[in-house]
Amino acid sequence: MPQMGESLLGLSLTCRALRAQTMPWIFREVYNREASRGTVWPVSLWPYFKIVHIRDRTARDLRNLEISAETLDSLSIMPSLVKLTLRLESCIPSDLLHAISLSRSLMYLEIHQARFDGEFSSPPLPFPALETLVMSTAGFWGVVGQDDAERPEQALVVDSLLKAVSDRLTELRISGDLISTTFPSTTWSRLRKLVITEHPPTPYIPVCDIVANMPVLRRLEVFYTLDITGEDARRRRIFPSFHLGDESGRALSDSCPLLSVISLGNLLPSDPIFAQLPPRLPSLDLRAPVDPYDYIKGFPHHASRPFSENTLPCVLHTLRHLQDLKELCLDLESFVHAALIHHIGLALPRIEVLEFGLPRYPCMSSPSRFNPEDRNPAILTALNLFSHLTHLRIVMDFPVIYFDRRYPREVTAQWFLRGVPTLQTVSFAEMTDIYRSGFQEVLWDRWDRGVFDFVVPTSPPTPPPPPPKPFPVTETLPLPAWKRIA
């Protein structure tokens, strides 16, 4: 029989092995709530920290959280720190930014509700391993606004930070509020993805000037928020007060020859940016007004979706030079019209992936469902104009508007697949403002051609008849002995 010491030794070794396996995922992501009262995380846990979140206020505790000097020192020497997020209501201290920049392993930095308008010294910001930077004026408590008097001070700090990391960043997501007139002169030798959100720059800078020194840029996304301050907004007509492009005639490919994906939102059909798109662009995403922060809450149905049956032909005429376009995504003003698809097929016949975003408030004069009685065979005829179409995607704000619960979505998917021989996949998804603005990935319901081997029903499925009730069976039981007649 084993001795007591041997049993405890085995238990100790088991606990040590369990600790070694669980510690990395238990302490992979931490917050500064535990280190906010003059303390710091235990040094023995630092090797497990991959993601650290720094806050000065939380939803659970509205009291201000103090970021101690010990916490700042620990951030610069954590050996495994890969990602750090800052959400501060106050101005970001220069010593905090300097401590973060000394981390040798930090690759991903997010700064939300970014404010650099306070007293800020100019310490060196090395950031030796930083590859992705997110700088947003929006956050959990709304969008941070700067007075005109504070903009020059903030611009100096932001410019110094961007210039310090411009030679190593591969991805940049930035609010237009933080882009100054010196941004176009900065050289971004490794930047492959640029996302611009929130308000447009002040003073305004066209997109071609913003990307002037990004020679290896491959993905460009511009989603400025809506303008709700002008006279049109008071009349509940929401339109952007800016053009993404300019009248210079320069193409985006002149400065960014490797561009392969462009996503644009909140733009008018007359925007010059359409004529400035690269001629060999493979993927184009044209989104409706993006409003992730409820700027137009109360009258969302008045937001303009620029691509309708009347306005889209003018846009397509401008896009005829995109003969290598393989993927096109459009947010429509109403339901999918056969005439609208016909216009796209004539202008861009080589499209392989086609996506339609359907509105929450469709035009009542058009069919609004994908049910068998509402399907238009002309839609299939128009889709057959795309000789290389392999994937059709449909994104909806409210699926209940477009689908009757009696008909599952796979019935509609099979209808598309049977009517378009080249089509291989049909996908449906629910769309939100968060998805459209790129903050969150969307979940797709996909149906491939190979999974269908049944006939499409033309009427609601008839439930099987209930089983017949069994007839009562009378059993003949023997009489008791005392009732038997001799």
Side-chain angles (χ1 to χ4, degrees):
M1 184 174 182
Q3 300 295 325
M4 180 64 68
E6 297 178 2
S7 300
L8 292 178
L9 178 61
L11 178 62
S12 176
L13 292 177
T14 302
C15 293
R16 182 177 298 180
L18 183 62
R19 173 188 173 95
Q21 293 181 9
T22 58
M23 292 282 280
W25 61 266
I26 291 178
F27 295 101
R28 179 179 182 272
E29 187 171 356
V30 296
Y31 291 77
N32 67 312
R33 290 191 294 263
E34 297 81 6
S36 61
R37 295 173 177 83
T39 61
V40 71
W41 300 282
V43 179
S44 60
L45 299 179
W46 292 2
Y48 305 112
F49 294 167
K50 300 288 187 181
I51 304 174
V52 176
H53 303 279
I54 303 296
R55 308 282 190 269
D56 60 0
R57 186 164 71 92
T58 65
R60 299 178 182 176
D61 188 356
L62 298 182
R63 295 175 299 175
N64 290 335
L65 301 178
E66 179 185 355
I67 304 175
S68 62
E70 291 80 4
T71 302
L72 298 182
D73 295 336
S74 66
L75 292 175
S76 60
I77 56 178
M78 289 182 183
S80 303
L81 181 60
V82 175
K83 178 179 178 179
L84 188 139
T85 65
L86 294 177
R87 293 183 186 270
L88 306 182
E89 284 195 306
S90 58
C91 178
I92 298 176
S94 58
D95 54 351
L96 172 59
L97 196 59
H98 176 64
I100 297 172
S101 69
L102 297 178
S103 174
R104 296 183 176 275
S105 58
L106 184 65
M107 301 176 63
Y108 197 109
L109 175 61
E110 289 188 9
I111 304 176
H112 298 276
Q113 298 177 190
R115 286 186 56 188
F116 302 95
D117 52 350
E119 295 183 2
F120 198 92
S121 58
S122 300
L125 302 173
F127 287 106
L130 191 65
E131 295 183 356
T132 301
L133 175 62
V134 177
M135 297 178 65
S136 173
T137 57
F140 295 145
W141 297 286
V143 179
V144 176
Q146 285 81 29
D147 297 332
D148 293 339
E150 299 171 345
R151 290 184 182 275
E153 299 177 359
Q154 176 170 266
L156 292 176
V157 179
V158 174
D159 289 346
S160 63
L161 172 59
L162 294 178
K163 289 181 179 179
V165 298
S166 62
D167 61 339
R168 63 183 68 93
L169 282 186
T170 59
E171 182 176 343
L172 174 64
R173 183 186 186 97
I174 187 171
S175 296
D177 312 66
L178 304 177
I179 296 179
S180 67
T181 54
T182 62
F183 185 93
S185 61
T186 304
T187 301
W188 306 84
S189 57
R190 299 181 58 190
L191 193 67
R192 288 172 172 79
K193 181 178 179 180
L194 174 65
V195 182
I196 311 176
T197 58
E198 277 80 61
H199 307 109
T202 303
Y204 187 73
I205 305 174
V207 173
C208 283
D209 293 337
I210 292 177
V211 301
N213 287 300
M214 301 179 182
V216 298
L217 189 67
R218 287 173 169 79
R219 187 180 186 96
L220 174 64
E221 300 180 12
V222 184
F223 295 112
Y224 295 138
T225 50
L226 295 170
D227 176 33
I228 61 170
T229 59
E231 183 65 27
D232 285 337
R234 284 189 285 272
R235 297 176 182 175
R236 297 206 167 194
R237 296 174 64 238
I238 308 299
F239 296 101
S241 60
F242 47 80
H243 279 153
L244 301 183
D246 54 30
E247 301 294 344
S248 63
R250 296 171 300 168
L252 289 170
S253 56
D254 294 342
S255 53
C256 307
L258 302 180
L259 266 178
S260 57
V261 179
I262 295 181
S263 300
L264 306 174
N266 295 349
L267 72 169
L268 294 172
S270 59
D271 200 310
I273 194 67
F274 293 119
Q276 295 178 292
L277 297 177
R280 304 185 66 85
L281 183 68
S283 178
L284 178 61
D285 189 357
L286 301 177
R287 291 296 172 192
V290 178
D291 181 37
Y293 307 111
D294 291 333
Y295 276 11
I296 54 174
K297 188 175 183 180
F299 48 97
H301 52 288
H302 291 283
S304 169
R305 283 179 172 246
F307 308 111
S308 64
E309 190 175 358
N310 298 326
T311 60
L312 188 60
C314 299
V315 176
L316 292 174
H317 180 75
T318 312
L319 298 180
R320 282 183 176 272
H321 67 290
L322 305 180
Q323 290 303 311
D324 290 338
L325 194 66
K326 305 298 182 185
E327 181 175 351
L328 177 64
C329 306
L330 285 175
D331 277 355
L332 303 180
E333 191 177 46
S334 59
F335 191 73
V336 179
H337 287 278
L340 186 144
I341 301 177
H342 184 80
H343 288 310
I344 301 174
L346 293 179
L348 304 168
R350 298 185 179 181
I351 288 179
E352 298 177 3
V353 180
L354 185 61
E355 177 182 320
F356 293 116
L358 305 184
R360 180 173 300 184
Y361 304 95
C363 177
M364 293 297 110
S365 63
S366 63
S368 59
R369 292 181 182 269
F370 284 113
N371 301 329
E373 60 267 19
D374 294 326
R375 295 182 190 136
N376 185 359
I379 293 180
L380 300 179
T381 304
L383 286 174
N384 279 290
L385 293 175
F386 303 96
S387 57
H388 299 83
L389 185 64
T390 59
H391 194 175
L392 177 64
R393 301 196 298 246
I394 298 176
V395 193
M396 300 157 286
D397 266 335
F398 268 150
V400 69
I401 295 178
Y402 303 101
F403 283 98
D404 192 319
R405 293 182 178 179
R406 299 174 298 170
Y407 300 97
R409 296 184 186 181
E410 57 263 27
V411 175
T412 300
Q414 190 184 32
W415 180 71
F416 280 116
L417 290 169
R418 285 183 177 272
V420 185
T422 61
L423 201 59
Q424 300 298 319
T425 306
V426 177
S427 303
F428 299 99
E430 298 183 23
M431 178 172 58
T432 62
D433 286 330
I434 295 178
Y435 154 65
R436 288 208 306 260
S437 57
F439 287 95
Q440 179 176 314
E441 295 294 333
V442 66
L443 298 178
W444 291 95
D445 295 331
R446 301 182 187 274
W447 283 273
D448 295 328
R449 179 175 294 274
V451 303
F452 293 111
D453 56 358
F454 55 87
V455 180
V456 182
T458 57
S459 59
T462 303
K469 295 182 179 180
F471 292 101
V473 178
T474 304
E475 295 184 3
T476 303
L477 300 177
L479 292 174
W482 59 274
K483 281 190 175 184
R484 293 175 186 172
I485 300 177

